[in-house]
Amino acid sequence: MDRLDALRLYVDVAEEGTFSGVARKRTIATSTVALAVTQLEREFGARLMRRTTRRLVFTHEGERLLIDARRILAEWNAALNGIAESGPLSGPIKVTATNDFGRSQLRAHLDAFQALHPQISISLVLTDSTIDLIEDRVDLALRYGPLADSSLRARLLVRGSRLVCASPDYWRRAGKPHHPADLSDHNCLILSRPGSPLAAWPFRDGDRHFNVKVSGDRQASDGAILREWGVEGVGVVLKNDWDIRTELKTGKLETALDDYVAGPVDLYAVQPGGPTSRRTAALVDHLSKEIGSSLT
């Protein structure tokens, strides 16, 4: 069996979880899938996966090969796409973004891109947690900076900042804080991430940066829900300015502590290292133009 074909089946096994699932997906015999794995194990001289009563478990060597296999296949696909520079864009693109930004801003831009390139298929993953682009086979992530050092490639799309805000009705009831320390007297709504709720809000006073621990009666793992609670007058939220620009324009939300805003919190298009497919590069160019013009 061709090595690339074997690697494709190997990656499929990781995604489907069973040999039979891959066989159904590819319309081939289950024995063919097993043969591909056996061939790779012989070539690498190591056990790549083990069967349990319920699922397949990758060994340490198997996990390492999986990372390399995905990279090799991505580079091969990019090379093939590069040959057909004049052809229409086609194929899948997996994109991830935060819940609020994905719903309120990104979805419309993706729809517009697909209208221009109908042979493109989009898979959109919305989460306020950071996912592994390599492990989850994500082509493009929309992430807020500053970004941690990594092998990922990033392109700045638009500059922004985090703002403290609440509804006019809430500010009338509770009064606006004059200093970040005053937030201890307010019902602050917290973005909850697995194992690390964002209960320490960053601020700046001149050149001094500091965090203020906040608390409130509600947490949510979805930033859009926090925004909605803020509009409804439940409490105070810390939001990226591009997530609440409509609410600020319409007066549904008002900011406070503007002199203490810690920033910037810029928006980046982040991709795994290595060659980029022509379709993903085109999407990044599209988002750079459309998001930049709509949020500035």
Side-chain angles (χ1 to χ4, degrees):
M1 181 181 297
D2 178 87
R3 285 191 182 92
L4 282 176
D5 289 337
L7 288 176
R8 290 190 183 97
L9 291 177
Y10 183 71
V11 171
D12 283 348
V13 170
E15 294 180 350
E16 297 294 327
T18 64
F19 288 3
S20 59
V22 175
R24 287 192 296 270
K25 175 183 176 181
R26 294 282 189 177
T27 319
I28 57 178
T30 302
S31 59
T32 302
V33 182
L35 177 62
V37 175
T38 300
Q39 175 182 317
L40 292 173
E41 288 182 330
R42 288 174 179 170
E43 289 198 40
F44 288 95
R47 175 67 68 88
L48 300 177
M49 60 183 70
R50 293 186 174 90
R51 293 176 182 266
T52 70
T53 55
R54 295 184 178 179
R55 62 191 180 99
L56 295 171
V57 178
F58 284 82
T59 63
H60 173 70
E61 291 78 10
E63 291 285 358
R64 290 180 58 187
L65 177 59
L66 186 59
I67 293 173
D68 289 337
R70 286 170 170 162
R71 174 183 54 79
I72 291 168
L73 293 174
E75 291 175 354
W76 177 252
N77 291 334
L80 292 179
N81 289 334
I83 294 173
E85 285 294 332
S86 61
L89 296 176
S90 63
I93 307 176
K94 190 173 183 179
V95 184
T96 185
T98 61
N99 287 287
D100 205 355
F101 182 75
R103 294 190 185 105
S104 64
Q105 306 291 337
L106 179 60
R107 186 187 64 81
H109 295 308
L110 295 179
D111 290 344
F113 182 75
Q114 283 189 284
L116 294 172
H117 307 285
Q119 296 183 45
I120 292 289
S121 61
I122 298 288
S123 175
L124 180 59
V125 179
L126 298 183
T127 175
D128 287 324
S129 298
T130 301
I131 64 177
D132 189 306
L133 303 191
I134 302 298
E135 182 177 340
D136 292 293
R137 297 192 69 190
V138 174
D139 300 297
L140 178 64
L142 282 298
R143 288 182 174 171
Y144 307 136
L147 301 173
D149 292 336
S150 70
S151 61
L152 304 177
R153 293 178 293 109
R155 174 174 170 180
L156 176 65
L157 296 181
V158 66
R159 298 194 178 278
S161 58
R162 288 194 181 101
L163 303 175
V164 174
C165 58
S167 71
D169 181 61
Y170 177 88
W171 291 135
R172 281 193 293 270
R173 296 194 325 264
K176 282 191 176 184
H178 299 290
H179 186 274
D182 298 336
L183 289 172
S184 61
D185 298 324
H186 288 267
N187 189 42
C188 296
L189 312 178
I190 298 170
L191 179 64
S192 177
R193 291 177 175 172
S196 58
L198 298 183
W201 290 2
F203 294 97
R204 180 179 62 189
D205 189 354
D207 294 331
R208 184 173 72 93
H209 291 260
F210 60 98
N211 292 330
V212 172
K213 188 174 182 179
V214 298
S215 62
D217 64 2
R218 303 189 191 191
Q219 296 186 13
S221 61
D222 187 330
I225 292 178
L226 297 181
R227 173 172 51 84
E228 292 168 1
W229 278 337
V231 169
E232 292 168 4
V234 172
V236 183
V237 293
L238 183 68
K239 293 292 295 179
N240 297 310
D241 53 2
W242 47 74
D243 286 342
I244 57 172
R245 65 191 187 104
T246 299
E247 288 75 15
L248 292 177
K249 287 180 180 180
T250 57
K252 293 180 179 180
L253 290 174
E254 292 181 359
T255 62
L257 302 174
D258 293 349
D259 293 338
Y260 297 93
V261 170
V265 183
D266 301 329
L267 182 66
Y268 291 88
V270 181
Q271 302 171 73
T276 300
S277 68
R278 192 163 62 97
R279 59 183 177 275
T280 302
L283 176 57
V284 173
D285 288 340
H286 175 83
L287 294 177
S288 178
K289 177 182 176 181
E290 297 302 322
I291 291 178
S293 62
S294 66
L295 298 183
T296 56

